[in-house]
Amino acid sequence: MTLFLQSALSGVLVGGVYALIGIGLTMIFGVMRVINFAHGDLLMLGMYLTWLLFKSLGLDPYLSLVISAPLLFLWGAVLQKVFVNRVLGALPQNQILLTIGLGLMMSNAVMLVFTSDYQILTTSYSSSSFDLFGLSVSVPLLYSFLVTVGITLVLFWFLSRTDTGQAIRATAQDRDAAQLMGINVKRMSVLAFGLGTALAGTAGALLAPTYYIFPQVGGPFTLKAFVVVVLGGMGSIVGATMGGILIGVTESLSAVYIASGLKELVVYVLFLAILVFKPAGLLGKSRM
Amino acid sequence: MRLPMPSLRRPRPAPTRGFSTPALLAWLAVIVAVALVPQLTRKPSLLHLWIMVFLAISQGAAWNVIGGYAGQYSVGHAAYFGMGAYTTMLLLELAQLPPWWGIGLGMLNAVLLSLVIGAITFRLRGPYFVLASIAVAEIIRLATLYWKDFTRGAEGILLSGIPPLQLSETLTVRFVGKQPFFYVALGLAVLAVSANWVVQHTKLGYYFQAIREDQDAAHSLGINLTLHKSVALAISAAFTAAAGAVFGLYVRFIDPNIVFSLPDVSVQMVLICIIGGIGTILGPVIGAVVMVLLGETLRNPKWLVQVGVLGDESPVVAFIEQRLSNAHVLVYGLLVVLVILFAPDGILGVLRGWWGRLGRRAAAAQRPETT
Amino acid sequence: MTAILQIKHVSKFFGGLAANSDVSFDVEAGSIMGLIGPNGAGKTTLFNCITGYYPPSKGEVLFKGVRMNGLQPNQVCRLGMARTWQKVRPLAKLSVVDNVMVGALARTNSLRVAREVAMEQLRVVRMDQKAGALAGGLPIGERKKLEVARVLATRPELLLLDEVMGGLNPAESEEIIQLILELKRLGLTQVVIEHDMKAIMRLSDRIVCLNSGEKLAEGTPHEVAHHKDVVAAYLGEAVDA
């Protein structure tokens, strides 16, 4: 039983980060109907940025979020204005190809500058853990989870209580109606992509203390982000949150009860099952 | 800013669909000329380049059938590539089955796999189909990695040797060196492009393209969607598997992360087609040539020296080796971004545009002056 | 005189919404049936049910006496029923003649024969001059004609036209009206959804009026046009042919 609880707990903690990635992706889809295949590479940028700030300025990865998150937001805004904006009305296949291309450019540019060498970011607490009711809790994972919870709450507040947030939701619900009501939908798209990028990069920053950092690390995260988003329903933030936790737990339990080498396979099989049987997601919603 | 769609801006006469004798003769001439290359040069780096181009053409042409003509963007074709490679190599290494039978079985396996994958994924549209195709290929890769007893997992399969092929009493082909692979790969490329030609000039091509343009309209015009998508995918899978098998036999070592790779195989195949010109016969060929030349040059610029294009001490070679090594993926990414944004018909589309403008300028120049 | 199409108590539910509710009528072979009603009345939904786009929730569709429920759209087409779409669906990157050939290939495997059939249909709708043009670049009037030619190339016995005159100017509409009458003369049965009441009155042998998914009235054009429920729900005032 302890084993079950232990792995479930780890799964929930990691799942929080998956949720963060998923929320960013679902926001981009919800507001702009764009399928962003570069999402994992945005996470990778967050990892590298955090690592650089740590190496050069000695900044703690969780504290340096104050710098890295806004920077990533700006980068996302630039990407949207220069590239993504041009494919808003295009076939989804073309959007996918464009974002794949952007992702390839980003991961490869990083490779050219930093080489493919694996980098690690070791803080004083990178491998520490503490005891909670007989279960071992990894400190960095717990920090990540707490930050994720905090960010998610702030995001909920932003989207439901502020004017800009509600404008974003309106654009996601019905772009044309929002425009008719005086909302600058172009700006909403920039905001959404910027936010999505910042969230992905933040997830990267949160993972940096416990993951190997290398240019190609983004790929599997992109796919996992899509699993989370489809599970929770494209465009639903609540769905992405629950989907992330569910995927984290599934992965963790699969590693323990089936085989460590098969944990990703189980997630992808689950993904296929959802796509085929319940493509609208477990929650069946497509609203933010 | 709206996405430019140059092919729809003004109605232009569609290219003729009939059987064109001059074009066929031109193709035959090119094939014969290319086939003579190994007689003119023995430089292994050059022959290697050609082999990689032929394999890329095969892959691009294979994907073109399902992605270009039928409009179903599978980004999981590595599943078939790897299936072809693994079937052939495993049967050769473990059962000593000669690869000319192994390739056939590999293609058969891939076709069967495509029927299963199609049954699962064809009900999905657009991006969901793309995602499902990726998921399937990843599942197969991870399964191959895991079930070591059967597939040797991450250890991979190292080819000990290929048996000689006895074609007749006097003619025996030994698979030593690059020359035999040159001809095998050339043959495969010719077959793959020919398959594209056959598709385009038969009822299949019309039906595939109708499905691509508007699935529901196609359905209401009497087209059995599942059947035709399955046929397109089967053709595509078969040629992809053949390319995978030849690749494996040529490089002599495969492992799941090489032949089932999402970025190196699946995405590459799509890029070859998109960059070259999707949905055309020449497009994948152009895309293959451009991408392989770029890739090999940036990976190993020494071949330019060996061919004599650049001098031994050339600063260009040094620069590439020092700064741009393996930057080819960056260029691929840039190319696909440029194509999607500015040239949706790929390099072929750009070339056709120039050709058309040249033609119009020539015609205008010939018109008599009006006073 | 036989009924080539029989709609028997067809209902279609989407979740809780009844898009079609207990609709019944017959269409005589060789006649033109007009289908009218306000937007959202369920006309296109009925077409979709009839042609296999989705099956009816309840009831039966019989074509030439054969039950059509649950058949796929391609099977429906092969059996001789064809439809056009409210929002035109050209095969944009194919040429005009290739578009029509796709239709013709429903009846032949030969590209040569399909091309001949296609050119013939293009002549009927007077678009043979534009055979080589790209379908996606055509103006709306020609797109509609193209869609009619394409669907005729499948050699239907029953043709369902969904607002084929929508968005056309009077000259183009007249062309379509003449075409429909000509097709009737050649023996084709047609069901026509239209908002243009003058056109419907001219074309139809009988009219069915739908409202909120239910059949409101059925009868000759004159009967329906003066039916008090139809006037109240849709026409506003009685229309005379």
Side-chain angles (χ1 to χ4, degrees), chain A residues 37-46 102-104 106-107 215 218-219 222:
Chain A
F37 258 71
H39 210 70
D41 297 301
L42 297 172
L43 180 149
M44 178 270 300
L45 285 182
L102 289 175
L104 286 176
M106 286 190 281
S107 59
T222 304

Side-chain angles (χ1 to χ4, degrees), chain B:
Chain B
M1 180 169 167
R2 309 227 61 212
L3 194 68
M5 293 175 79
S7 24
L8 297 187
R9 251 193 250 132
R10 48 189 177 280
R12 56 162 166 77
T16 46
R17 291 178 150 278
F19 185 87
S20 158
T21 318
L24 182 63
L25 288 177
W27 274 107
L28 282 173
V30 167
I31 294 172
V32 168
V34 168
L36 291 174
V37 164
Q39 312 303 329
L40 300 173
T41 175
R42 296 265 168 210
K43 296 219 173 77
S45 56
L46 262 190
L47 290 180
H48 170 76
L49 211 58
W50 281 103
I51 293 173
M52 298 314 281
V53 168
F54 295 150
L55 285 177
I57 291 177
S58 308
Q59 290 177 65
W63 189 85
N64 198 33
V65 174
I66 184 74
Y69 288 119
Q72 310 299 309
Y73 280 39
S74 155
V75 189
H77 258 51
Y80 311 117
F81 190 80
M83 176 65 91
Y86 263 89
T87 307
T88 310
M89 306 274 278
L90 273 177
L91 286 174
L92 181 53
E93 276 300 293
L94 299 182
Q96 280 77 47
L97 183 71
W100 32 98
W101 303 120
I103 293 183
L105 282 176
M107 289 169 77
L108 181 63
N109 271 348
V111 168
L112 292 173
L113 179 63
S114 78
L115 291 176
V116 172
I117 295 178
I120 303 174
T121 58
F122 279 147
R123 71 196 70 190
L124 303 171
R125 301 231 176 166
Y128 293 102
F129 178 78
V130 174
L131 289 169
S133 68
I134 296 177
V136 167
E138 282 293 281
I139 289 174
I140 295 179
R141 178 180 68 85
L142 292 166
T144 310
L145 266 173
Y146 183 73
W147 273 288
K148 298 202 254 289
D149 295 335
F150 185 43
T151 66
R152 301 200 187 163
E155 218 180 87
I157 303 178
L158 183 62
L159 202 61
S160 36
I162 301 178
L165 169 63
Q166 185 128 29
L167 287 176
S168 71
E169 286 220 338
T170 45
L171 187 54
T172 306
V173 181
R174 283 177 215 289
F175 290 93
V176 176
K178 306 229 185 269
Q179 219 187 20
F181 285 102
F182 179 97
Y183 287 111
V184 170
L186 170 60
L188 181 60
V190 169
L191 283 175
V193 174
S194 306
N196 268 231
W197 187 93
V198 167
V199 162
Q200 177 144 339
H201 291 90
T202 58
K203 178 172 175 175
L204 272 183
Y206 276 86
Y207 272 16
F208 289 169
Q209 292 184 78
I211 293 176
R212 176 192 72 205
E213 291 302 311
D214 192 321
Q215 218 170 242
D216 292 327
H219 211 177
S220 70
L221 290 169
I223 297 175
N224 184 331
L225 295 181
T226 314
L227 174 67
H228 284 91
K229 286 191 207 176
S230 300
V231 170
L233 187 58
I235 297 173
S236 183
F239 280 101
T240 307
V246 174
F247 171 80
L249 293 167
Y250 174 59
V251 300
R252 305 189 99 102
F253 173 74
I254 61 170
D255 74 32
N257 289 321
I258 296 177
V259 296
F260 286 115
S261 166
L262 171 60
D264 298 328
V265 178
S266 293
V267 173
Q268 292 279 63
M269 289 178 71
V270 179
L271 294 187
I272 292 173
C273 239
I274 300 278
I275 290 174
I278 194 176
T280 63
I281 299 175
L282 262 180
V285 177
I286 295 177
V289 171
V290 168
M291 282 180 70
V292 171
L293 282 182
L294 262 172
E296 289 295 312
T297 306
L298 289 176
R299 245 193 295 246
N300 180 20
K302 280 279 189 318
W303 81 270
L304 287 167
V305 174
Q306 286 173 356
V307 180
V309 171
L310 289 177
D312 218 348
E313 300 298 313
S314 166
V316 176
V317 175
F319 179 72
I320 293 179
E321 277 185 331
Q322 277 167 13
R323 294 303 190 81
L324 292 182
S325 186
N326 285 304
H328 54 284
V329 181
L330 183 71
V331 182
Y332 294 165
L334 180 62
L335 279 176
V336 77
V337 168
L338 290 175
V339 163
I340 295 290
L341 291 183
F342 305 117
D345 289 331
I347 296 179
L348 183 62
V350 172
L351 289 176
R352 278 202 181 137
W354 289 345
W355 191 254
R357 269 203 295 275
L358 271 175
R360 278 197 292 282
R361 237 177 269 160
Q366 283 180 2
R367 272 201 291 273
E369 294 282 331
T370 50
T371 40

Side-chain angles (χ1 to χ4, degrees), chain A residues 212-223:
Chain A
Y212 282 124
I213 301 171
F214 58 98
Q216 319 296 341
V217 74
F221 282 108
T222 304
L223 193 50

Side-chain angles (χ1 to χ4, degrees), chain C residues 69-223:
Chain C
N69 294 40
L71 286 186
Q72 291 286 302
N74 55 301
Q75 295 168 303
V76 170
C77 174
R78 298 282 165 126
L79 285 173
M81 210 196 313
R83 57 89 58 93
T84 65
W85 301 85
Q86 192 173 5
K87 255 180 80 172
V88 234
R89 290 174 178 256
L91 303 175
K93 281 173 95 173
L94 300 184
S95 69
V96 164
V97 68
D98 285 341
N99 261 264
V100 185
M101 279 173 74
V102 171
L105 285 168
R107 299 293 175 202
T108 174
N109 284 327
S110 153
L111 288 190
R112 194 184 46 81
V113 170
R115 185 171 282 262
E116 282 167 16
V117 171
M119 290 307 294
E120 188 193 309
Q121 295 307 326
L122 286 174
R123 272 188 287 272
V124 166
V125 301
R126 308 224 302 247
M127 276 192 63
D128 45 308
Q129 296 300 320
K130 285 219 164 173
L134 225 46
L138 297 176
I140 180 73
E142 290 180 340
R143 288 191 196 197
K144 296 247 170 176
K145 290 206 289 185
L146 172 61
E147 192 150 299
V148 174
R150 186 175 74 190
V151 110
L152 286 176
T154 69
R155 298 262 183 263
E157 290 173 57
L158 171 61
L159 183 56
L160 304 170
L161 296 166
D162 197 343
E163 297 196 36
V164 69
M165 283 180 262
L168 300 188
N169 63 42
E172 291 165 332
S173 294
E174 185 60 31
E175 234 189 298
I176 298 283
I177 291 175
Q178 291 305 320
L179 177 61
I180 294 176
L181 292 170
E182 173 67 20
L183 291 171
K184 175 182 173 181
R185 210 180 54 75
L186 294 171
L188 189 60
T189 315
Q190 296 167 86
V191 181
V192 182
I193 296 179
E194 244 345 296
H195 283 299
D196 182 346
M197 282 312 297
K198 287 216 156 61
I200 281 285
M201 299 295 281
R202 277 172 67 191
L203 289 171
S204 315
D205 297 311
R206 290 180 70 76
I207 297 183
V208 163
C209 179
L210 295 183
N211 188 29
S212 300
E214 296 176 339
K215 186 173 88 170
L216 204 55
E218 177 183 354
T220 67
H222 186 85
E223 286 168 2

Side-chain angles (χ1 to χ4, degrees), chain A residues 167-183:
Chain A
I168 290 181
R169 278 168 66 212
T171 312
Q173 274 207 356
D174 190 332
R175 200 180 177 82
D176 294 326
Q179 189 156 36
L180 287 174
M181 300 219 286
I183 294 176

